Amino acid sequence: MEGQTGGGLPVGQGEQGLGGTCAGQQSFLIGSGIHDITGPAAEVGMMGYVELKQQTAGIHQRLRSRAFVIASPCNGKRVVFVSADLGMVFQGVKQQVVQRLQAIFGQLYSDDNVLLSATHTHSGPGGYSHYALYNLSTFGFEPKNFEAIVEGIYQSIVRAHEHLAPGRITLAAGDLLDASRNRSPEAYRLNPPEERARYAYDTDKRMTLLRFTQDPDVEVGLINWFAVHTTSMGMEHQYISGDNKGYASYLFEKARGTRYDGTGDTFVAAFAQSNEGDVTPNIHGGEDGGGRDDFESTEISGRKQYERATSLYASATTPLTGGVDYRHVYVKMDDMTVQPAFTGGTPAHTCPAAFGISMLSGAEDGPGVGGGEGATCAAMHDVWSAVTCTTTTTHCQAEKPIALEMGSMKPFPWSPEVLPMQLVTVGNVALVAVPFELTTMAGRRLRETVRAQLAPAGVTEVVIAGLSNAYSGYVATREEYAKQEYEGASTHFGPWTLAALQQEFDALARALREGTSLPPGPKPRDLYHQQNRLRPGVLFDDKPLWVDFGDVFADAHESYDRGETVRVTFWGGHPKNNPRLQGTYLRVQRRAGPLWEDVAYDWDWETKYTWRRSYCLPTLACSHALIEWTIPPDAVPGSYRIVHEGDWKSGWDGRVRPYRGTSRTFTVR
Ligand SMILES: [Zn+2]
């Protein structure tokens, strides 16, 4: 079996990764890998805003999975950390990724030591959950998107595994101001004044960064965590985008010459998500991120994160010390008794999953499905007529007027209730992996719970790894919950959800410190084979008789100045025919002697690929591909052309065939 690169030492039960034999150890085995996870770029409902009209119609940035394998030669344990440009990592995704890893690597990788975290971009294709609530915007499951995501994450981990080599990890942390804002300040203010007084801000400003260097001195990547929603791009856009974190990664990787085509080792820069539940990048209020449009706002937010990460990266000299360790349990989140130690006096209980009415009125940094302020059951019935909306509550859900009780839907609940709790230590850094979006204060309390257990064992840095391994809404504090703003309304399991988490992570941290094991908990259901596809795929592609696929419909001008935008439209096929993973739908090429050299692709910031249906007779199945290139100010003057690559599906034999089209040659002055 491959994969014994992890030092080959036996993993002893009760062996401690923190102190014990690994205390003071500074060497790790580290490997990084990156892979494309961009799903269908047209006609798939997007994941995040639950806006039914928001369907993919092109690519601004490709989505990536960024993976790190970290092993300790000292105790033989290893963990995988992945940050993926996704709205969420759903349970079914983790289940499939682990199954594929185990098919090759056996028990080397499992639920317990694989941590998959989403950046929470709201601009990716959806339909990749196995639970109905999260497939509403796509009218069901989208197998092509699910496959692109699962296979891409899996491939990124395989690459990280193959690149595993001895090295060291160094740490830096510092504040990034002026890049985030609390979007529910009234709820935040309900937290006790003495607690709030301990913090300078109403969101966490700290960016924590790990720098990975293989021996003797090969820089292979970084991970940083900073809590901010990836909602710089609003719900009116139809381009696939990694949003502000995707752009920050792109900037860092571009500066390091990262190769996205998968050839050889490459630098991987993960901008990962943390406790961003009530944190918006739109620092001027509402949906205003400071740019003239959302693209510019994304640029501003991404660049701030990139620049802070760059300075932290340069100053990251403190070595991580210790081994690698982890604990993982599944809990039935809707049926937990919470001890008085975590509730402030009396025992409490979690509730069947339900969301409140204000979840509909103020969704993710924008108006929700219920139609903005003052959402009502009537508005909701317009969207989901099958749903019982009562606006009554239960004793368990306390202040929450229930709009939908997902937990009692048949035959399966509409959102998962058996959920993973995972605690990972890499040297003296602890990662608290939660399948939720935690608000600022919820994250702080959970970090304190873990810190109280692990600080005596040498842990100095505790980080929330948000949106990890599954997804089931938000977690607000008990006080914030009472206000029933968006985050409280989206706290599925009731007012004591955070207390239940604290209780669970207290046990995980204690077990990790003491080197004991915990019962694995109930197994979550696997609904992979229960998915219904409601929308048909591409039937076939058509074009007018007198053209070929790839022919130019509207060509470039003869010449351009830098800063201008070149636009070329081609007769094309539907991008669902082939997502071109690790590839591109476009190339901007410059003439270099007898050759044409690529200068930009579909993931570059200055390009856009737009798909449009074109109503040609008689079948209405024609497609136009618009390629745009905004010429950067530092472009080399010369002769250029635009190339479009795609795939079309034949109505005669059902086969999918590639095509390629080229614009006229134009001059950049
Ligand atoms: Zn969110």
Side-chain angles (χ1 to χ4, degrees), residues 48 87-88 120 122 183 229 231 276-277 364-365 437 467 471 474 486:
M88 297 84 176
H120 201 36
H122 283 48
R183 69 184 188 189
H229 257 84
T231 47
E276 89 325 335
E364 301 265 343
D365 288 41
E437 302 181 52
L467 299 124
Y471 182 77
Y474 281 67
Y486 180 72

PDB file of all heavy atoms in Angstrom, residues 48 87-88 120 122 183 229 231 276-277 364-365 437 467 471 474 486, ligand 1:
ATOM      1  N   GLY A  48     -25.965  29.667  -2.175  1.00  0.00           N
ATOM      2  CA  GLY A  48     -25.624  30.710  -1.217  1.00  0.00           C
ATOM      3  C   GLY A  48     -26.785  31.622  -0.911  1.00  0.00           C
ATOM      4  O   GLY A  48     -27.266  31.671   0.208  1.00  0.00           O
ATOM      5  N   GLY A  87     -19.701  27.018  -1.378  1.00  0.00           N
ATOM      6  CA  GLY A  87     -20.606  27.609  -0.404  1.00  0.00           C
ATOM      7  C   GLY A  87     -20.561  26.845   0.901  1.00  0.00           C
ATOM      8  O   GLY A  87     -20.479  27.417   1.987  1.00  0.00           O
ATOM      9  N   MET A  88     -20.617  25.543   0.786  1.00  0.00           N
ATOM     10  CA  MET A  88     -20.538  24.647   1.930  1.00  0.00           C
ATOM     11  C   MET A  88     -19.849  23.369   1.480  1.00  0.00           C
ATOM     12  O   MET A  88     -19.822  23.064   0.293  1.00  0.00           O
ATOM     13  CB  MET A  88     -21.937  24.269   2.451  1.00  0.00           C
ATOM     14  CG  MET A  88     -22.769  25.395   2.970  1.00  0.00           C
ATOM     15  SD  MET A  88     -23.628  26.228   1.604  1.00  0.00           S
ATOM     16  CE  MET A  88     -24.610  27.416   2.524  1.00  0.00           C
ATOM     17  N   HIS A 120     -17.054  29.369   1.656  1.00  0.00           N
ATOM     18  CA  HIS A 120     -18.391  29.952   1.724  1.00  0.00           C
ATOM     19  C   HIS A 120     -18.658  30.955   0.593  1.00  0.00           C
ATOM     20  O   HIS A 120     -19.479  31.859   0.743  1.00  0.00           O
ATOM     21  CB  HIS A 120     -18.603  30.623   3.091  1.00  0.00           C
ATOM     22  CG  HIS A 120     -20.055  30.813   3.463  1.00  0.00           C
ATOM     23  ND1 HIS A 120     -21.038  29.918   3.149  1.00  0.00           N
ATOM     24  CD2 HIS A 120     -20.683  31.820   4.145  1.00  0.00           C
ATOM     25  CE1 HIS A 120     -22.194  30.364   3.618  1.00  0.00           C
ATOM     26  NE2 HIS A 120     -22.008  31.516   4.214  1.00  0.00           N
ATOM     27  N   HIS A 122     -20.490  32.508  -2.382  1.00  0.00           N
ATOM     28  CA  HIS A 122     -21.905  32.434  -2.749  1.00  0.00           C
ATOM     29  C   HIS A 122     -22.079  32.418  -4.269  1.00  0.00           C
ATOM     30  O   HIS A 122     -23.171  32.595  -4.777  1.00  0.00           O
ATOM     31  CB  HIS A 122     -22.659  33.623  -2.154  1.00  0.00           C
ATOM     32  CG  HIS A 122     -22.929  33.457  -0.688  1.00  0.00           C
ATOM     33  ND1 HIS A 122     -21.964  33.064   0.202  1.00  0.00           N
ATOM     34  CD2 HIS A 122     -24.061  33.638   0.044  1.00  0.00           C
ATOM     35  CE1 HIS A 122     -22.489  33.007   1.420  1.00  0.00           C
ATOM     36  NE2 HIS A 122     -23.758  33.344   1.344  1.00  0.00           N
ATOM     37  N   ARG A 183     -22.760  42.355  10.828  1.00  0.00           N
ATOM     38  CA  ARG A 183     -23.993  42.678  10.098  1.00  0.00           C
ATOM     39  C   ARG A 183     -25.235  42.549  10.979  1.00  0.00           C
ATOM     40  O   ARG A 183     -26.335  42.879  10.530  1.00  0.00           O
ATOM     41  CB  ARG A 183     -24.114  41.813   8.843  1.00  0.00           C
ATOM     42  CG  ARG A 183     -24.373  40.356   9.105  1.00  0.00           C
ATOM     43  CD  ARG A 183     -24.392  39.532   7.826  1.00  0.00           C
ATOM     44  NE  ARG A 183     -24.821  38.172   8.121  1.00  0.00           N
ATOM     45  CZ  ARG A 183     -24.775  37.183   7.244  1.00  0.00           C
ATOM     46  NH1 ARG A 183     -24.326  37.381   6.019  1.00  0.00           N
ATOM     47  NH2 ARG A 183     -25.176  35.975   7.584  1.00  0.00           N
ATOM     48  N   HIS A 229     -17.563  36.877   5.577  1.00  0.00           N
ATOM     49  CA  HIS A 229     -18.386  36.257   4.548  1.00  0.00           C
ATOM     50  C   HIS A 229     -17.792  36.510   3.159  1.00  0.00           C
ATOM     51  O   HIS A 229     -17.252  37.584   2.885  1.00  0.00           O
ATOM     52  CB  HIS A 229     -19.810  36.815   4.596  1.00  0.00           C
ATOM     53  CG  HIS A 229     -20.786  35.890   5.246  1.00  0.00           C
ATOM     54  ND1 HIS A 229     -20.952  35.832   6.601  1.00  0.00           N
ATOM     55  CD2 HIS A 229     -21.641  34.970   4.716  1.00  0.00           C
ATOM     56  CE1 HIS A 229     -21.874  34.909   6.879  1.00  0.00           C
ATOM     57  NE2 HIS A 229     -22.309  34.370   5.758  1.00  0.00           N
ATOM     58  N   THR A 231     -19.213  37.293   0.444  1.00  0.00           N
ATOM     59  CA  THR A 231     -20.421  37.840  -0.187  1.00  0.00           C
ATOM     60  C   THR A 231     -20.134  39.222  -0.765  1.00  0.00           C
ATOM     61  O   THR A 231     -20.973  40.112  -0.714  1.00  0.00           O
ATOM     62  CB  THR A 231     -21.579  37.946   0.829  1.00  0.00           C
ATOM     63  OG1 THR A 231     -21.066  38.565   2.025  1.00  0.00           O
ATOM     64  CG2 THR A 231     -22.150  36.594   1.171  1.00  0.00           C
ATOM     65  N   GLU A 276     -17.435  33.313  10.743  1.00  0.00           N
ATOM     66  CA  GLU A 276     -17.873  34.475   9.968  1.00  0.00           C
ATOM     67  C   GLU A 276     -19.378  34.675   9.998  1.00  0.00           C
ATOM     68  O   GLU A 276     -19.911  35.478   9.249  1.00  0.00           O
ATOM     69  CB  GLU A 276     -17.361  34.316   8.545  1.00  0.00           C
ATOM     70  CG  GLU A 276     -18.215  33.577   7.506  1.00  0.00           C
ATOM     71  CD  GLU A 276     -19.053  32.399   7.951  1.00  0.00           C
ATOM     72  OE1 GLU A 276     -18.733  31.754   8.967  1.00  0.00           O
ATOM     73  OE2 GLU A 276     -20.059  32.127   7.292  1.00  0.00           O
ATOM     74  N   GLY A 277     -20.092  33.949  10.887  1.00  0.00           N
ATOM     75  CA  GLY A 277     -21.555  33.952  10.871  1.00  0.00           C
ATOM     76  C   GLY A 277     -22.198  35.322  10.740  1.00  0.00           C
ATOM     77  O   GLY A 277     -23.099  35.517   9.928  1.00  0.00           O
ATOM     78  N   GLU A 364     -28.437  36.065   3.201  1.00  0.00           N
ATOM     79  CA  GLU A 364     -27.005  36.300   3.191  1.00  0.00           C
ATOM     80  C   GLU A 364     -26.678  37.637   2.536  1.00  0.00           C
ATOM     81  O   GLU A 364     -26.557  37.731   1.336  1.00  0.00           O
ATOM     82  CB  GLU A 364     -26.336  35.166   2.435  1.00  0.00           C
ATOM     83  CG  GLU A 364     -26.603  33.818   3.047  1.00  0.00           C
ATOM     84  CD  GLU A 364     -25.496  33.409   3.984  1.00  0.00           C
ATOM     85  OE1 GLU A 364     -24.414  33.997   3.902  1.00  0.00           O
ATOM     86  OE2 GLU A 364     -25.726  32.506   4.801  1.00  0.00           O
ATOM     87  N   ASP A 365     -26.494  38.665   3.331  1.00  0.00           N
ATOM     88  CA  ASP A 365     -26.115  39.986   2.824  1.00  0.00           C
ATOM     89  C   ASP A 365     -27.013  40.456   1.683  1.00  0.00           C
ATOM     90  O   ASP A 365     -26.552  40.937   0.664  1.00  0.00           O
ATOM     91  CB  ASP A 365     -24.658  39.999   2.370  1.00  0.00           C
ATOM     92  CG  ASP A 365     -23.715  39.948   3.546  1.00  0.00           C
ATOM     93  OD1 ASP A 365     -23.993  39.188   4.485  1.00  0.00           O
ATOM     94  OD2 ASP A 365     -22.730  40.677   3.549  1.00  0.00           O
ATOM     95  N   GLU A 437     -21.952  27.802  10.624  1.00  0.00           N
ATOM     96  CA  GLU A 437     -21.405  29.154  10.600  1.00  0.00           C
ATOM     97  C   GLU A 437     -21.601  29.725  11.997  1.00  0.00           C
ATOM     98  O   GLU A 437     -22.733  29.948  12.428  1.00  0.00           O
ATOM     99  CB  GLU A 437     -22.151  30.005   9.582  1.00  0.00           C
ATOM    100  CG  GLU A 437     -22.110  29.434   8.179  1.00  0.00           C
ATOM    101  CD  GLU A 437     -22.844  30.312   7.181  1.00  0.00           C
ATOM    102  OE1 GLU A 437     -22.559  31.515   7.129  1.00  0.00           O
ATOM    103  OE2 GLU A 437     -23.714  29.788   6.478  1.00  0.00           O
ATOM    104  N   LEU A 467     -17.697  25.877   8.614  1.00  0.00           N
ATOM    105  CA  LEU A 467     -18.298  25.226   7.448  1.00  0.00           C
ATOM    106  C   LEU A 467     -17.532  23.969   7.055  1.00  0.00           C
ATOM    107  O   LEU A 467     -17.201  23.758   5.897  1.00  0.00           O
ATOM    108  CB  LEU A 467     -18.352  26.212   6.281  1.00  0.00           C
ATOM    109  CG  LEU A 467     -19.182  27.469   6.541  1.00  0.00           C
ATOM    110  CD1 LEU A 467     -18.365  28.725   6.334  1.00  0.00           C
ATOM    111  CD2 LEU A 467     -20.414  27.507   5.652  1.00  0.00           C
ATOM    112  N   TYR A 471     -22.910  20.507   6.708  1.00  0.00           N
ATOM    113  CA  TYR A 471     -23.452  21.856   6.913  1.00  0.00           C
ATOM    114  C   TYR A 471     -24.854  21.775   7.477  1.00  0.00           C
ATOM    115  O   TYR A 471     -25.701  21.042   6.971  1.00  0.00           O
ATOM    116  CB  TYR A 471     -23.482  22.650   5.603  1.00  0.00           C
ATOM    117  CG  TYR A 471     -23.983  24.067   5.807  1.00  0.00           C
ATOM    118  CD1 TYR A 471     -23.156  25.042   6.363  1.00  0.00           C
ATOM    119  CD2 TYR A 471     -25.289  24.417   5.485  1.00  0.00           C
ATOM    120  CE1 TYR A 471     -23.614  26.338   6.583  1.00  0.00           C
ATOM    121  CE2 TYR A 471     -25.768  25.716   5.696  1.00  0.00           C
ATOM    122  CZ  TYR A 471     -24.921  26.668   6.239  1.00  0.00           C
ATOM    123  OH  TYR A 471     -25.370  27.943   6.466  1.00  0.00           O
ATOM    124  N   TYR A 474     -26.473  27.977  11.096  1.00  0.00           N
ATOM    125  CA  TYR A 474     -25.686  28.899  11.908  1.00  0.00           C
ATOM    126  C   TYR A 474     -25.692  28.478  13.372  1.00  0.00           C
ATOM    127  O   TYR A 474     -26.518  27.663  13.796  1.00  0.00           O
ATOM    128  CB  TYR A 474     -26.289  30.306  11.815  1.00  0.00           C
ATOM    129  CG  TYR A 474     -25.921  31.049  10.552  1.00  0.00           C
ATOM    130  CD1 TYR A 474     -26.390  30.627   9.307  1.00  0.00           C
ATOM    131  CD2 TYR A 474     -25.115  32.176  10.605  1.00  0.00           C
ATOM    132  CE1 TYR A 474     -26.060  31.321   8.158  1.00  0.00           C
ATOM    133  CE2 TYR A 474     -24.785  32.877   9.452  1.00  0.00           C
ATOM    134  CZ  TYR A 474     -25.265  32.445   8.237  1.00  0.00           C
ATOM    135  OH  TYR A 474     -24.937  33.125   7.100  1.00  0.00           O
ATOM    136  N   TYR A 486     -31.134  37.183  11.426  1.00  0.00           N
ATOM    137  CA  TYR A 486     -30.880  36.120  10.463  1.00  0.00           C
ATOM    138  C   TYR A 486     -30.110  34.948  11.072  1.00  0.00           C
ATOM    139  O   TYR A 486     -30.464  33.781  10.883  1.00  0.00           O
ATOM    140  CB  TYR A 486     -30.124  36.690   9.255  1.00  0.00           C
ATOM    141  CG  TYR A 486     -29.824  35.657   8.208  1.00  0.00           C
ATOM    142  CD1 TYR A 486     -30.848  35.140   7.417  1.00  0.00           C
ATOM    143  CD2 TYR A 486     -28.541  35.174   8.019  1.00  0.00           C
ATOM    144  CE1 TYR A 486     -30.595  34.176   6.465  1.00  0.00           C
ATOM    145  CE2 TYR A 486     -28.273  34.208   7.066  1.00  0.00           C
ATOM    146  CZ  TYR A 486     -29.304  33.711   6.295  1.00  0.00           C
ATOM    147  OH  TYR A 486     -29.041  32.753   5.359  1.00  0.00           O
TER     148      TYR A 486
HETATM  149 ZN    ZN B   1     -23.339  32.526   5.547  1.00  0.00          ZN
END
